């Protein structure tokens, strides 16, 4: 089991930048984009190994709240895997992931993606074709009362200039319109 070009700390380029979720043992603060969505993310010796190859090898990284970081590297080096581990879509093989100094992944703890308040926007936007724009944006807000979820979604759609398309299906939208819908869903 070797590490294909494996993403490691020497390949990281960087930098310039209501309520709680109960996960059993501990509560995690929730933030909505209308107020703030900056969080400190810390990776401690994070490794991700798949059956035949490794993707991440001992990543140590701290991204301060509000800091902007760019992950650069060749195709297949682990950039997307790193983001998937941070968001909780993938579990790290070893190491720890902390959000605002609270462990969300580690040897004895794993907080599911829906409880992390982390948005991830895929390159293909991944909009649900059978849901309207509004329903796509409210999709991850199941824990909120329907009226509150709709208000939050409408507010973010207004911020991205697509409130007038709330009842429209993704197939009617141009690629340039689908992108801000996906962004709205990621940050609502």
């Amino acid at each position: 089991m070797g590490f294909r070009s494996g993403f490691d700390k020497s390949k990281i380029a960087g930098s310039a930048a209501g309520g709680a979720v109960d996960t059993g043992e501990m509560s995690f603060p929730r933030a909505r984009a209308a107020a703030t969505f900056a969080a400190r993310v810390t990776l401690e010796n994070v490794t991700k190994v798949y059956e035949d190859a490794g993707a991440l090898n001992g990543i140590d990284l701290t991204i301060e709240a509000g800091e902007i970081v760019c992950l650069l590297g060749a195709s297949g080096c682990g950039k997307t895997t790193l983001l998937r581990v941070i968001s909780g879509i993938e579990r790290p093989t070893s190491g720890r992931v902390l959000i605002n100094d609270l462990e969300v992944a580690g040897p004895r703890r794993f907080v599911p993606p829906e409880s992390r308040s982390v948005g991830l926007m895929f390159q293909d936007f991944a909009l649900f074709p059978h849901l309207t724009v509004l329903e796509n944006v409210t999709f991850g807000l199941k824990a909120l009362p329907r009226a509150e979820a709709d208000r939050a979604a409408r507010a973010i759609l207004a911020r991205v200039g697509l409130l007038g398309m709330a009842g429209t299906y993704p197939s009617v939208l141009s690629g340039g319109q689908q992108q801000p819908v996906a962004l709205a869903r990621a940050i609502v």
Side-chain angles (χ1 to χ4, degrees), residues 30-33 114 117 134-156 184-188:
R30 288 290 294 227
R32 294 276 170 245
E114 63 272 15
S117 293
L134 182 65
E135 292 166 336
N136 264 281
V137 175
T138 61
F139 185 80
L141 302 177
K142 304 291 187 211
L144 296 177
R146 175 74 179 188
E148 188 178 338
D150 282 357
R151 265 193 309 278
R154 288 180 186 281
I156 198 68
R185 183 177 60 191
I187 64 175
V188 71

Side-chain angles (χ1 to χ4, degrees), residues 42-65:
T42 305
L43 304 170
E44 296 176 351
N45 198 28
V46 171
T47 298
K48 176 63 181 175
V49 178
Y50 294 102
E51 287 181 21
D52 59 344
L56 304 175
N57 186 10
I59 304 296
D60 289 304
L61 173 67
T62 298
I63 304 169
E64 296 297 336

Side-chain angles (χ1 to χ4, degrees), residues 13-188:
S15 115
V21 176
D22 184 7
T23 60
E25 301 169 22
M26 169 185 309
S27 290
F28 288 83
R30 288 290 294 227
R32 294 276 170 245
T36 181
F37 55 93
R40 178 183 182 168
V41 176
T42 305
L43 304 170
E44 296 176 351
N45 198 28
V46 171
T47 298
K48 176 63 181 175
V49 178
Y50 294 102
E51 287 181 21
D52 59 344
L56 304 175
N57 186 10
I59 304 296
D60 289 304
L61 173 67
T62 298
I63 304 169
E64 296 297 336
E67 186 176 23
I68 298 171
V69 174
C70 177
L71 303 176
L72 300 173
S75 180
C77 75
K79 300 177 301 289
T80 299
T81 300
L82 183 65
L83 296 174
R84 291 172 63 89
V85 165
I86 292 169
S87 68
I89 295 171
E90 297 271 356
R91 288 179 185 246
T93 305
S94 64
R96 295 185 340 137
V97 177
L98 297 95
I99 298 177
N100 286 332
D101 299 321
L102 299 172
E103 185 176 292
V104 294
R108 291 175 293 281
R109 179 166 193 74
F110 183 78
V111 176
E114 63 272 15
S115 299
R116 292 189 186 196
S117 293
V118 173
L120 184 59
M121 189 171 102
F122 297 95
Q123 293 175 15
D124 67 1
F125 311 135
L127 298 177
F128 298 109
H130 64 289
L131 300 179
T132 65
V133 166
L134 182 65
E135 292 166 336
N136 264 281
V137 175
T138 61
F139 185 80
L141 302 177
K142 304 291 187 211
L144 296 177
R146 175 74 179 188
E148 188 178 338
D150 282 357
R151 265 193 309 278
R154 288 180 186 281
I156 198 68
L157 284 171
R159 286 180 67 187
V160 299
L162 288 174
L163 181 57
M165 304 296 270
T168 304
Y169 288 88
S171 62
V172 177
L173 302 177
S174 70
Q177 291 170 315
Q178 289 180 21
Q179 184 177 29
V181 173
L183 178 62
R185 183 177 60 191
I187 64 175
V188 71

